Amino acid sequence: MARGRGTGRGVPLPDVVALALRRHLRDHPTWGEEELLFSNATGTGLLYPYYWYGRIWRPALAAAGVDHFKSHCLRHFYAASLLSQGVAVSEVSAWLGHTSVTFTERYYSNLMPDAPDRARLAIDGAPGCARQRGAAITSSRPVGVRPA
């Protein structure tokens, strides 16, 4: 789990990111008391915005064939990827540092339109439901309704 600066929250670190960070740390030491992963060109402090955007971010976008993409969009990509794969909105909300799950639900609700379908599948796949489902298919009355 990666830790957010000063927030005390952790976020899952995907293997692909962990590998990239290991490679980076192999070639570049951390900086300062906080052990910053990315320092300025001389390795003596924080990255200046003009250096970050001009020397790192824009060349990375060009290499990826992307014209324009704000780095903050990576945060939305992270949230959207997790939610579209069915990760619980409460977990995603905590990892993003949102003050309430309601905010996350409101902001990303368009990414969870299949939630009712996932809920139905979860119940259909629950132990004991397969037998009930089979009975419902062969019977004309609803499951759980006794004959009069």
Side-chain angles (χ1 to χ4, degrees):
M1 297 283 247
R3 309 272 311 159
R5 186 177 76 150
T7 63
R9 72 176 181 264
V11 295
L13 187 65
D15 291 341
V16 66
V17 176
L19 178 61
L21 287 174
R22 273 191 226 105
R23 288 179 181 156
H24 176 78
L25 288 170
R26 181 189 61 213
D27 299 333
H28 307 281
T30 58
W31 180 83
E33 259 182 53
E34 294 178 330
E35 296 185 304
L36 298 175
L37 291 174
F38 306 101
S39 64
N40 61 29
T42 61
T44 60
L46 294 172
L47 284 173
Y48 297 110
Y50 71 87
Y51 184 84
W52 163 253
Y53 285 103
R55 305 294 295 286
I56 297 172
W57 187 246
R58 286 188 189 126
L61 291 178
V66 176
D67 290 329
H68 179 74
F69 191 84
K70 294 180 180 179
S71 56
H72 185 78
C73 292
L74 293 173
R75 177 180 170 85
H76 298 301
F77 172 79
Y78 177 75
S81 297
L82 296 176
L83 292 168
S84 69
Q85 293 297 313
V87 174
V89 68
S90 58
E91 295 291 332
V92 175
S93 182
W95 296 329
L96 293 173
H98 290 166
T99 55
S100 76
V101 174
T102 305
F103 175 83
T104 311
E105 289 172 333
R106 194 173 34 227
Y107 195 86
Y108 293 104
S109 63
N110 63 317
L111 301 175
M112 301 177 278
D114 64 337
D117 292 333
R118 287 197 319 264
R120 282 189 285 277
L121 290 172
I123 296 301
D124 283 346
C129 288
R131 185 178 38 192
Q132 293 285 337
R133 193 171 48 247
I137 293 171
T138 59
S139 172
S140 60
R141 68 177 182 270
V143 173
V145 175
R146 297 176 194 233

